[in-house]
Amino acid sequence: CKCNFIFFLFLSLGTGSNILSALQDLFWLLKSKVEKQLQIISVLQWVLTFLIMGIACTLILMYILCTDCWAIAALYLAWLVFDWNTPKKGGRRSQWVRNWAIWRYFRDYFPIRLVKTHNLLTTRNYIFGYHPHGIMGLGAFCNFSTEATGVSQKFPGIRPYLATLAGNFRMPILRDYLMSGGICPVNRDSIDYILSKNGTGNAIIIVVGGAAESLNCTPGKNSVTLRNRKGFVKLALRHGADLVPVYSFGENEVYQQVIFEEGSWGRWVQKKFQKHIGFAPCIFHGRGLFSSNTWGLLPFSKPITTVVGEPITIPKIDNPSQKDVDFYHSIYVDALIKLFDKYKSKFGLPETEVLEVN
């Protein structure tokens, strides 16, 4: 019976070449499934980091202080006090962390792509205005806080610093994790240091729309909060740092959000959080962990393409007037709109699509 079974299996598979082909197909199928699972895990760990790592690490540290291992927590807290100002002085980036393989799986989940349109001189400093914010700024993180999309190869000699909420750097462990990726606080002290005391070839990426913009992000909508956001232009003028418009096509597509109308209780709560804490709580969902047909925290696997535009040369003015700020702000807004119009059809948008600037 055993011999008959083997003979039947051989006949069903055919020749040796067919057997080899079938085994190769099986191998690639298994490899593809493993890679997909690794992609999901890589994105999940980042989402959890974004949402709960700071609070979780703080609670764990407090718990350790109440155990027999309190000395470990005490030593870390002592070092934390000593190291408190490091985030304001360019941080402590790690090329090893930025090159982790997990970020390549993170990139491929969507996938995320970085498009270079012009060269950047290493003799200049830059402020990149990143648009739109989206729910979590996934494109900004992947492109500028990791090497997954090759930012250092595409812009050789340029050191990117992604600026985020200063409150994140008051959280134990999280602050060190963020600094390892080249992330810095989005405050004047940090930006002044990088643009004036860290040489040239620095690029600070500021998500200009911030929390206010995140409240309006939804699939199919291309709008930016920029009309009254002029602080980044003033900083550029004070340091003579060139402005670079950046638009991330697909950033708003990866999560569904409940949008509260102006004047509603939900929008009132969001604005209160934004004013007093610095971020606005959003009600959103993506896909489930095991199925794309269920709701969950995982973002939808939609492509995100980040296009870095042409730098705008900015003069150094120690005390720029409001007229100076308004002038270069209008140039920046026009450059961003032109960038959007030039590339929108290449990345799935109709020619009739208009960028809404609020």
Side-chain angles (χ1 to χ4, degrees):
C1 291
K2 191 178 290 186
C3 291
N4 289 337
F5 173 74
I6 294 172
F7 180 70
F8 175 77
L9 180 62
F10 179 78
L11 287 176
S12 63
L13 290 173
T15 63
S17 61
N18 287 340
I19 295 173
L20 182 60
S21 177
L23 289 174
Q24 287 177 335
D25 290 343
L26 180 61
F27 171 77
W28 287 114
L29 179 63
L30 291 173
K31 183 180 179 182
S32 176
K33 291 193 104 174
V34 169
E35 286 187 347
K36 189 61 182 177
Q37 294 304 314
L38 289 172
Q39 290 169 13
I40 289 173
I41 292 169
S42 69
V43 175
L44 179 63
Q45 66 82 27
W46 188 86
V47 170
L48 293 177
T49 296
F50 183 92
L51 294 175
I52 66 171
M53 183 176 179
I55 295 174
C57 289
T58 302
L59 293 175
I60 290 170
L61 196 66
M62 291 172 63
Y63 171 76
I64 293 174
L65 279 171
C66 300
T67 67
D68 293 339
C69 298
W70 63 269
I72 297 173
L75 283 172
Y76 176 81
L77 288 173
W79 179 82
L80 188 63
V81 172
F82 175 78
D83 193 58
W84 191 252
N85 289 323
T86 299
K88 299 177 183 178
K89 297 180 179 180
R92 188 169 45 245
R93 74 175 54 217
S94 166
Q95 286 303 115
W96 175 64
V97 174
R98 287 174 60 89
N99 281 284
W100 278 353
I102 195 171
W103 306 132
R104 294 193 290 275
Y105 290 112
F106 182 96
R107 171 200 66 196
D108 293 339
Y109 173 85
F110 296 92
I112 296 173
R113 180 185 171 204
L114 180 66
V115 177
K116 169 186 174 181
T117 63
H118 291 79
N119 292 324
L120 299 181
L121 299 175
T122 57
T123 55
R124 299 285 293 173
N125 283 325
Y126 301 91
I127 293 180
F128 287 17
Y130 185 92
H131 314 269
H133 183 286
I135 295 291
M136 296 185 184
L138 293 157
F141 171 80
C142 184
N143 285 309
F144 301 112
S145 294
T146 80
E147 294 296 331
T149 56
V151 63
S152 294
Q153 287 72 44
K154 291 176 180 175
F155 300 103
I158 302 297
R159 292 180 298 277
Y161 293 86
L162 177 61
T164 189
L165 289 175
N168 289 324
F169 296 89
R170 301 186 187 103
M171 302 284 190
I173 310 300
L174 176 63
R175 67 189 293 275
D176 303 289
Y177 188 44
L178 294 177
M179 284 194 292
S180 68
I183 300 176
C184 68
V186 62
N187 58 31
R188 181 169 172 175
D189 290 343
S190 177
I191 294 172
D192 282 347
Y193 183 91
I194 293 170
L195 294 180
S196 63
K197 299 179 182 179
N198 202 40
T200 58
N202 302 293
I204 298 180
I205 298 88
I206 299 177
V207 186
V208 178
E213 191 173 84
S214 69
L215 298 179
N216 295 314
C217 70
T218 186
K221 185 174 183 179
N222 288 284
S223 66
V224 296
T225 301
L226 178 59
R227 195 67 70 186
N228 297 314
R229 298 294 175 106
K230 300 180 181 180
F232 73 106
V233 178
K234 190 173 184 178
L235 282 170
L237 285 165
R238 289 180 62 245
H239 293 285
D242 292 349
L243 289 171
V244 182
V246 179
Y247 197 84
S248 206
F249 294 91
E251 186 72 61
N252 286 346
E253 308 299 317
V254 296
Y255 279 111
Q256 296 276 356
Q257 181 183 190
V258 177
I259 304 294
F260 293 102
E261 297 294 330
E262 290 292 338
S264 65
W265 67 269
R267 182 55 63 101
W268 180 84
V269 170
Q270 289 176 323
K271 286 188 173 181
K272 286 295 182 182
F273 265 84
Q274 179 190 336
K275 180 180 179 180
H276 297 292
I277 301 178
F279 74 93
C282 302
I283 299 177
F284 65 92
H285 76 85
R287 52 154 289 182
L289 181 59
F290 302 107
S291 171
S292 59
N293 297 320
T294 58
W295 287 14
L297 288 176
L298 279 177
F300 297 109
S301 53
K302 302 289 182 68
I304 299 174
T305 306
T306 303
V307 184
V308 180
E310 182 178 3
I312 302 165
T313 303
I314 302 294
K316 188 176 187 301
I317 305 175
D318 291 333
N319 293 298
S321 66
Q322 190 60 48
K323 185 178 179 180
D324 294 324
V325 174
D326 291 343
F327 175 73
Y328 285 101
H329 181 266
S330 66
I331 292 176
Y332 178 86
V333 172
D334 290 342
L336 179 64
I337 293 172
K338 288 178 182 177
L339 180 70
F340 177 84
D341 289 340
K342 182 176 180 180
Y343 289 94
K344 61 186 178 183
S345 61
K346 294 182 180 179
F347 303 117
L349 298 178
E351 283 289 349
T352 55
E353 185 72 19
V354 176
L355 179 62
E356 181 183 332
V357 180
N358 300 313

